Amino acid sequence: ATQTPPITAVLGWNNAGTQALLFTERKDFKERYLHRIDDTTGRATSIDVLKDSAWVGGPCYGCGGYIPGSDKVWLVSEADGYAHLYTMNPDGSGKQQLTKGKWEVEDVRISNDRRFFELHTSEVSPFERHFYRMPIAGGVAERITTQVGGHTVVVSSNGQLIADVYSQANRPPELNVGPYQPSTT
């Protein structure tokens, strides 16, 4: 019998260009592996494994990479049953959960100034999606959007404006553009 290849997602390279990260997932969606790839040998080393008898994947599958200025890794994992943000050392040790609760991180990216995670979550309610930012080192996530409903925010390249596609169950999506005004911390 022929084996089906795993599903993969490339997460990118470290700053030095010596290591890459790669998600692979079994075709039956029961196991997800995070591999570190060495640039000189091409050797893949598994640094995180997630197994589930139902399925793995979640709303932020493929979210991960290297913390800017270091070889530390960040990823979204359903290790506690919900999609949450984690960091770890490049060998898989020192795994630290940065977000916790009975809600999901739906997407995340690193801010253009490389100081914050910018993320959308269902923390308020499974029926709402809000935009937050959190320091790269972890800590309290600051909620940026306030109106009840769903928000999909994109931050301008200079970090001064946001475009927010906002909607509610009884209201079609509308685009709002305005200043990005998080606290100064």
Side-chain angles (χ1 to χ4, degrees):
T2 306
Q3 289 210 337
T4 5
I7 297 169
T8 60
V10 178
L11 303 181
W13 292 88
N14 65 354
N15 286 341
T18 58
Q19 300 173 8
L21 292 175
L22 176 73
F23 269 141
T24 60
E25 185 175 282
R26 279 191 11 196
K27 208 59 159 157
D28 66 1
F29 301 103
K30 306 255 187 238
E31 294 178 12
R32 188 265 301 140
Y33 302 89
L34 177 60
H35 303 286
R36 185 186 72 242
I37 312 295
D38 181 88
D39 76 324
T40 54
T41 65
R43 182 170 178 247
T45 304
S46 292
I47 62 171
D48 189 67
V49 178
L50 180 64
K51 296 180 181 185
D52 192 299
S53 60
W55 72 291
V56 296
C60 202
Y61 177 80
C63 293
Y66 285 97
I67 302 285
S70 79
D71 282 337
K72 197 164 190 153
V73 173
W74 69 272
L75 75 150
V76 172
S77 173
E78 295 178 306
D80 77 347
Y82 293 89
H84 282 293
L85 182 60
Y86 293 81
T87 59
M88 67 177 73
N89 295 321
D91 63 1
S93 67
K95 190 171 182 180
Q96 179 183 10
Q97 187 172 358
L98 300 184
T99 60
K100 293 179 183 176
K102 293 182 177 183
W103 48 271
E104 310 251 277
V105 171
E106 297 179 2
D107 69 50
V108 61
R109 65 179 289 277
I110 293 177
S111 64
N112 290 335
D113 67 7
R114 302 164 52 136
R115 296 176 41 220
F116 297 94
F117 289 110
E118 296 174 332
L119 50 155
H120 290 92
T121 79
S122 62
E123 184 173 354
V124 172
S125 158
F127 308 105
E128 290 190 46
R129 175 183 162 121
H130 286 279
F131 180 68
Y132 296 79
R133 79 171 193 170
M134 172 192 290
I136 287 285
V140 176
E142 178 184 7
R143 186 169 142 188
I144 305 300
T145 55
T146 57
Q147 290 180 291
V148 173
H151 297 268
T152 301
V153 172
V154 175
V155 179
S156 66
S157 59
N158 67 5
Q160 295 182 9
L161 297 171
I162 61 170
D164 179 7
V165 176
Y166 165 73
S167 66
Q168 292 180 335
N170 61 350
R171 187 177 183 164
E174 59 184 53
L175 173 64
N176 297 299
V177 177
Y180 184 24
Q181 298 178 322
S183 68
T184 57
T185 58

